């Protein structure tokens, strides 16, 4: 029995461009190529790996589509940040299978409540300063025409909170959902008094983290997330992962 639309042909052995892509991924994993580092030209990579330029070109296209590399200086490519591939994958999944807002808030509670507790135990002065800057930016952007800037500062606070845990996987996971989070938070800004309450709630999380009170930090984070979700339900807003750009 054959599957409609799939031509009958034997599976070739692994193509050269796939081997080139694997070699580049290995170099990135070994930190021989760090995030932001420009890649060599097609010609140079062709000579390095002993393959044709067409194989190199196809490998670079594949890695770009996966988010492993992105545009670099001079029209070339550079190594992307570690969260970029996960961002691309999540965006594709959420485009193909949109999820309700409930799923996003459940995920946020799983990640961010515990993150607040860990941040209280592990934060540095620089972490607290980054959270302070985010809260200040939120408080300065409450005007009706500054929704985008307010939400950017809101997301920055949560990224700072994740970074303060010292857990790189957690920080990368939060960075990966930043676009989804931003799309979900934009409608919240328009709910009366919600933005003002968010500023106060973020300050409460920040204070508990700065004080090293893990229990209070978890409670403040949970209270904030539950309040935002309740506001969305009350307003009848269906913002969620499916709304991601």
């Amino acid at each position: 029995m054959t599957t409609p639309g799939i031509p009958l042909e034997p599976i070739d052995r692994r193509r050269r461009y796939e081997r080139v892509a694997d070699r580049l991924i290995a170099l990135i994993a070994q930190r021989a190529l760090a995030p932001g580092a420009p890649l060599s030209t097609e010609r140079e990579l062709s000579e390095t790996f002993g393959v044709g330029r067409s194989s190199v070109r196809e490998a670079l296209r594949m890695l770009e589509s996966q988010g492993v590399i992105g545009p670099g200086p001079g029209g070339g490519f550079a190594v992307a940040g570690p969260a970029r591939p996960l961002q691309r994958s999540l965006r594709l999944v959420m485009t193909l299978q949109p999820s309700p807002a409930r799923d996003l808030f459940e995920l946020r509670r799983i990640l961010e409540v515990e993150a607040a507790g860990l941040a209280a135990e592990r934060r540095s002065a620089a972490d607290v300063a980054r959270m302070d800057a985010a809260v200040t930016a939120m408080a300065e952007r409450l005007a009706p025409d500054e929704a985008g800037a307010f939400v950017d500062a809101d997301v920055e606070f949560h990224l700072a909170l994740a970074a303060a845990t010292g857990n790189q996987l957690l920080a990368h996971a939060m960075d990966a959902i930043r676009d989804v989070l931003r799309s979900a938070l934009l409608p919240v800004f328009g709910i009366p008094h919600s933005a003002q309450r968010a500023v106060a709630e973020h300050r409460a999380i920040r204070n508990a983290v700065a004080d090293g009170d893990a229990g209070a930090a978890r409670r403040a984070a949970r209270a904030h997330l539950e309040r935002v979700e309740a506001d969305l339900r009350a307003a009848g807003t269906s913002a969620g992962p499916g709304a991601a750009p």
Side-chain angles (χ1 to χ4, degrees):
M1 180 177 179
T2 62
T3 302
I6 297 180
L8 290 173
E9 58 182 23
I11 297 175
D12 296 332
R13 64 178 181 270
R14 214 155 57 102
R15 296 177 176 87
R16 286 184 177 181
Y17 77 84
E18 293 175 326
R19 295 199 294 272
V20 172
D22 285 348
R23 291 285 299 278
L24 288 170
I25 288 174
L27 290 170
I28 293 170
Q30 295 161 8
R31 294 296 186 267
L33 291 172
L39 295 185
S40 301
T41 65
E42 283 184 9
R43 180 180 59 78
E44 291 167 338
L45 290 172
S46 175
E47 294 172 355
T48 297
F49 295 129
V51 298
R53 290 182 65 171
S54 61
S55 295
V56 170
R57 190 175 303 116
E58 193 63 29
L60 295 176
R61 285 173 181 163
M62 183 174 76
L63 294 178
E64 184 184 26
S65 72
Q66 294 173 346
V68 177
I69 61 176
F77 290 102
V79 179
R84 182 78 178 277
L86 184 55
Q87 266 184 339
R88 285 284 184 90
S89 298
L90 280 173
R91 184 179 292 119
L92 178 59
V93 169
M94 291 168 183
T95 299
L96 295 175
Q97 187 176 6
S99 302
R102 177 189 66 249
D103 288 4
L104 175 62
F105 280 95
E106 284 181 356
L107 176 62
R108 292 190 67 192
R109 282 194 293 273
I110 292 167
L111 292 176
E112 296 188 59
V113 173
E114 184 59 23
L118 291 176
E121 296 169 356
R122 303 173 180 175
R123 80 279 181 257
S124 66
D127 293 322
V128 175
R130 183 179 172 187
M131 284 184 271
D132 282 339
V135 174
T136 297
M138 290 172 67
E140 292 175 348
R141 290 163 174 81
L142 292 170
D145 62 345
E146 292 202 274
F150 178 91
V151 171
D152 286 342
D154 190 334
V155 172
E156 166 63 15
F157 178 91
H158 293 284
L159 295 177
L161 185 68
T165 68
N167 185 314
Q168 292 187 19
L169 287 177
L170 177 57
H172 291 334
M174 283 302 300
D175 193 28
I177 66 169
R178 67 191 303 167
D179 290 344
V180 179
L181 183 56
R182 187 179 191 279
S183 294
L185 291 177
L186 278 170
V188 183
F189 184 85
I191 297 172
H193 311 298
S194 186
Q196 290 82 355
R197 284 195 291 266
V199 173
E201 290 161 357
H202 284 73
R203 283 201 180 109
I205 297 169
R206 176 267 178 211
N207 290 340
V209 169
D211 291 343
D213 191 333
R218 290 186 179 95
R219 289 191 295 273
R222 181 176 294 277
H224 167 61
L225 294 173
E226 290 177 347
R227 194 275 305 166
V228 172
E229 187 175 12
D231 274 3
L232 281 171
R233 284 199 306 268
T237 303
S238 59

